[in-house]
Amino acid sequence: MAFTKKIRLGDLLVEKGLISDEQLQHALGEQKKLGRKLGGTLIELGMIDENSLLNLLASQLNIPLIDINNYNYSNEVAKLLPESIARRYRALVLEDRDKDYLVAMADPTDIYALDEIQSKLNKPVSQAIVRETALLENFDLVYRRTDEISALASELGQDLSETATDLNELLQTEMTEAPVAKLLQSIFEDAVQVGASDIHIEPDQHVIRIRQRVDGVLQEQVMQETQIAPAVVVRLKLMCGLNISEKRLPQDGRFHVLVNNRDIDVRLSTMPVQYGESVVMRLLDQTKGALDLEVLGMPPDLLHRFRKNFHLPNGMILVTGPTGSGKTTTLYAALSELNVRESKIVTVEDPVEYRLDRISQVQVNPRIGLTFAGVLRSALRQDPDIIMVGEMRDAETVEIGVSAAMTGHLVLSTLHTNDTISTATRLMDMGVEGYLLASTLRTIIAQRLVRRVCQSCGEDYTPTEFEAGWLRDDLLIDVSRYQYKKGRGCKQCGETGYQGRMGVYELLDMNAELAEKLRHDDSQGFVEAAERAPGYQPLVMVAHEHAVNGLTTIEEMLRLAGEVPDDVLDHPPVLEIDD
């Protein structure tokens, strides 16, 4: 049954001895300033912990305290309560039972909220209490914008098919009024809710696909309204200031959008494909502010060694890995720490991803001759202390970077190599003399991003025959000594078993033996010396430590190592073709 008697929470807490009357009066004063509920104010002031408060309310009201992250509720049932009501009153419908609905609430003492919820549902309401933070996370999972996107796409498709208005003229209308603008707004809101890093809009012969990259893996929504694709592309080009009449050549641009009070910097790339133009947008959340090395997930010992090297007055520091492995994020975190009044920092990037105060950031533009090498030469005449080069792409850029490191500058850059050991040999292949590397190279970091096991549904996991054999034969690991984890799939992780990503790092510090091998151009000797260098551990072994600690899976280890399980080779996925 619904709770109908109003409880004075403050008096109850004092009566139970959880807070004093003086604390209550202080909290009530702060509550007026903060504009929050009393329970949240008490928790924020540290007068009571959330568990004690929730257990007391559950006991007093005789209602269950539910861990919503592990509760198997239906999205369809949850959506019986409109999103605006759910978010306003912090409530979510968990079950449609024979005689009533089970509704989870962050504050079950709010009888006004309960009355409003009751009026929106056609049966009585029974309450459960949940943590507010967990409830807010589940709102973003339940109230996705996928249905709204489909409805807006259908509406836009109908408008475009019923009018003979010139498309370019149609899209010059105010963004907030145009159906295409509403569609794009919903797409961005949905992407930000699920933490997507990229949005792909791909026209096909019979459908248009909208795909979002979440935790490094694409999620797809398919719509039949193929006629909306040109309208969406034109609107996005207008937002970037690109040439809307040019459909034969790729174009790049960027723009800002404000999504749910978050400032999102969007990098856009268009490319002509068989059935129109493909659009990919990289989403960069500028609201997060400066990156912090402490939150990157580096092991303390490795972080200490990295810091020690990038605080040196000169030399070269390289971060390596494939595209999307977080190299630039690591460099920006280091730059944020180095960004002090006493140092002049210049960056040469393509493109500039995050804007940092006090740092001179230059975006290259090869079409007008503004290349990495050209900008780097000019940057050296700007009296810099520290230079960051977005990527060592060619021999000329590498040569100038090495020269800068030799002449008293600290140079940070990235390189596309698979591990730390192959990085030095790659530089030598690009024409850098070994003796120059020996005197300038300070440290090399190789990194990857692996998906984290979902903390809500992670459970013990026994490796498959292929996985056990790979661990045993290739990595010489005794599988019987360890216990592994894997997520079974739940609402929190979108049934994937994973939620979020973490970095895996391999670090190689230059020492006297390695420098000597480089001076003599002894590549094989360098490899052997690196493998026995103090503190060196290959990426895959670092990933295994994370797997043993239950943070990631053997499946992610295989992906990092580039191994393909036998069952995938024996039973490849069937390609589904839309009629």
Side-chain angles (χ1 to χ4, degrees):
M1 294 292 294
F3 174 73
T4 57
K5 182 180 178 181
K6 184 172 179 61
I7 282 184
R8 292 177 61 87
L9 178 61
D11 294 341
L12 179 62
L13 291 170
V14 172
E15 178 187 332
K16 298 294 183 181
L18 294 175
I19 62 172
S20 67
D21 189 60
E22 291 76 14
Q23 287 178 313
L24 173 60
Q25 297 308 315
H26 176 65
L28 289 171
E30 290 298 312
Q31 179 192 9
K32 293 177 181 177
K33 298 178 187 176
L34 298 173
R36 297 189 58 182
K37 289 183 177 293
L38 179 59
T41 304
L42 288 165
I43 293 170
E44 187 169 317
L45 292 173
M47 294 180 180
I48 189 172
D49 66 87
E50 188 176 21
N51 285 335
S52 298
L53 178 61
L54 295 180
N55 282 314
L56 173 65
L57 286 174
S59 173
Q60 191 71 20
L61 299 175
N62 194 27
I63 61 176
L65 170 60
I66 287 177
D67 179 2
I68 196 170
N69 289 340
N70 289 318
Y71 200 92
N72 188 26
Y73 61 86
S74 163
N75 282 0
E76 287 69 30
V77 170
K79 288 179 181 177
L80 291 173
L81 198 61
E83 181 179 4
S84 59
I85 299 294
R87 289 188 182 274
R88 183 186 309 157
Y89 297 119
R90 301 290 194 265
L92 194 67
V93 183
L94 298 181
E95 288 185 40
D96 180 0
R97 305 190 291 201
D98 291 338
K99 297 181 179 180
D100 63 5
Y101 289 108
L102 178 63
V103 178
M105 298 183 68
D107 181 11
T109 68
D110 189 341
I111 60 175
Y112 304 109
L114 188 61
D115 287 343
E116 185 70 21
I117 293 167
Q118 180 74 67
S119 69
K120 294 294 180 183
L121 301 173
N122 57 10
K123 282 194 293 191
V125 168
S126 291
Q127 295 169 289
I129 188 170
V130 294
R131 288 175 175 79
E132 184 174 4
T133 52
L135 193 61
L136 293 175
E137 291 171 359
N138 278 264
F139 285 154
D140 287 343
L141 299 174
V142 170
Y143 296 105
R144 291 285 303 271
R145 298 291 186 262
T146 50
D147 293 341
E148 184 179 312
I149 291 170
S150 295
L152 288 168
S154 177
E155 177 188 343
L156 177 60
Q158 186 175 1
D159 287 348
L160 292 176
S161 63
E162 291 178 354
T163 180
T165 305
D166 178 72
L167 180 62
N168 292 344
E169 181 181 330
L170 174 68
L171 294 174
Q172 296 289 345
T173 59
E174 285 296 321
M175 251 196 99
T176 54
E177 298 175 0
V180 67
K182 295 177 183 176
L183 172 62
L184 286 173
Q185 181 180 351
S186 295
I187 291 173
F188 282 123
E189 286 178 352
D190 188 57
V192 169
Q193 274 188 203
V194 297
S197 61
D198 302 83
I199 301 173
H200 297 234
I201 301 175
E202 303 168 344
D204 211 332
Q205 184 175 7
H206 301 298
V207 297
I208 178 172
R209 291 182 171 85
I210 297 177
R211 304 205 281 176
Q212 301 171 338
R213 191 174 295 280
V214 180
D215 293 338
V217 178
L218 286 171
Q219 301 178 357
E220 182 176 279
Q221 181 177 3
V222 178
M223 295 176 292
Q224 305 299 320
E225 295 81 9
T226 55
Q227 67 270 35
I228 74 172
V232 172
V233 174
V234 169
R235 170 57 71 186
L236 289 169
K237 284 183 175 181
L238 287 170
M239 293 167 70
C240 292
L242 300 179
N243 184 357
I244 62 174
S245 62
E246 179 55 77
K247 303 175 182 178
R248 302 163 301 169
L249 296 173
Q251 296 188 68
D252 297 315
R254 69 190 305 162
F255 59 92
H256 286 272
V257 290
L258 192 64
V259 182
N260 298 333
N261 295 319
R262 293 163 71 175
D263 182 16
I264 307 297
D265 188 17
V266 183
R267 282 168 35 198
L268 176 141
S269 172
T270 70
M271 184 175 66
V273 292
Q274 188 174 7
Y275 297 105
E277 290 181 273
S278 170
V279 175
V280 175
M281 292 176 283
R282 169 66 56 87
L283 309 182
L284 301 168
D285 190 348
Q286 303 292 334
T287 311
K288 294 179 180 178
L291 296 165
D292 187 348
L293 277 171
E294 302 292 346
V295 302
L296 291 183
M298 285 189 187
D301 174 64
L302 189 146
L303 179 57
H304 174 74
R305 291 158 58 198
F306 182 42
R307 270 202 172 106
K308 181 180 177 181
N309 280 286
F310 74 66
H311 278 288
L312 292 172
N314 57 64
M316 179 179 288
I317 294 172
L318 296 175
V319 181
T320 75
T323 300
S325 59
K327 301 185 299 296
T328 305
T329 300
T330 299
L331 287 183
Y332 271 113
L335 283 182
S336 295
E337 190 166 309
L338 292 168
N339 187 13
V340 294
R341 289 180 298 176
E342 294 80 12
S343 296
K344 167 81 170 185
I345 302 176
V346 178
T347 72
V348 187
E349 306 172 64
D350 183 22
V352 174
E353 293 195 11
Y354 293 95
R355 292 169 173 82
L356 302 177
D357 294 336
R358 200 190 287 118
I359 293 180
S360 301
Q361 297 174 270
V362 183
Q363 180 164 322
V364 302
N365 188 347
R367 287 175 293 185
I368 62 172
L370 198 64
T371 63
F372 272 104
V375 175
L376 192 49
R377 284 196 191 90
S378 299
L380 290 172
R381 294 192 286 272
Q382 291 282 309
D383 187 31
D385 298 291
I386 301 165
I387 300 172
M388 189 193 90
V389 184
E391 184 182 339
M392 295 287 191
R393 290 185 178 177
D394 52 64
E396 187 179 10
T397 304
V398 173
E399 180 183 351
I400 299 170
V402 170
S403 298
M406 287 188 65
T407 54
H409 303 88
L410 180 67
V411 178
L412 297 86
S413 189
T414 69
L415 201 66
H416 285 289
T417 53
N418 291 327
D419 53 46
T420 57
I421 295 177
S422 63
T423 300
T425 53
R426 170 70 64 83
L427 291 171
M428 294 170 71
D429 291 341
M430 294 175 74
V432 182
E433 296 290 344
Y435 71 90
L436 294 176
L437 283 179
S439 59
T440 57
L441 199 54
R442 297 286 182 256
T443 192
I444 307 168
I445 290 183
Q447 67 179 74
R448 299 289 191 281
L449 293 176
V450 296
R451 290 181 289 174
R452 286 180 176 270
V453 173
C454 176
Q455 296 303 300
S456 297
C457 65
E459 57 189 17
D460 289 346
Y461 173 73
T462 301
T464 65
E465 184 178 344
F466 173 83
E467 291 170 340
W470 175 69
L471 291 169
R472 181 183 61 249
D473 300 336
D474 288 31
L475 303 184
L476 306 180
I477 292 172
D478 182 359
V479 181
S480 63
R481 295 178 53 197
Y482 303 106
Q483 179 62 61
Y484 302 95
K485 294 277 188 182
K486 188 171 184 178
R488 67 178 179 275
C490 66
K491 292 194 179 299
Q492 279 296 111
C493 59
E495 305 298 335
T496 64
Y498 297 98
Q499 189 173 40
R501 291 191 290 176
M502 63 184 298
V504 178
Y505 302 92
E506 167 187 314
L507 187 143
L508 179 65
D509 286 324
M510 293 300 295
N511 57 34
E513 184 181 9
L514 292 172
E516 188 64 22
K517 299 299 182 185
L518 288 176
R519 287 191 187 95
H520 290 87
D521 295 331
D522 183 359
S523 298
Q524 184 57 37
F526 178 85
V527 171
E528 294 170 357
E531 289 175 345
R532 60 175 180 268
Y536 172 76
Q537 191 177 20
L539 274 169
V540 69
M541 298 305 294
V542 177
H544 182 257
E545 287 189 0
H546 291 316
V548 168
N549 291 327
L551 299 177
T552 191
T553 64
I554 301 174
E555 178 185 34
E556 285 295 281
M557 286 181 63
L558 286 165
R559 196 165 65 91
L560 181 151
E563 297 284 345
V564 181
D566 288 341
D567 59 345
V568 174
L569 296 174
D570 295 338
H571 305 285
V574 178
L575 178 65
E576 296 182 0
I577 302 176
D578 297 288
D579 295 331

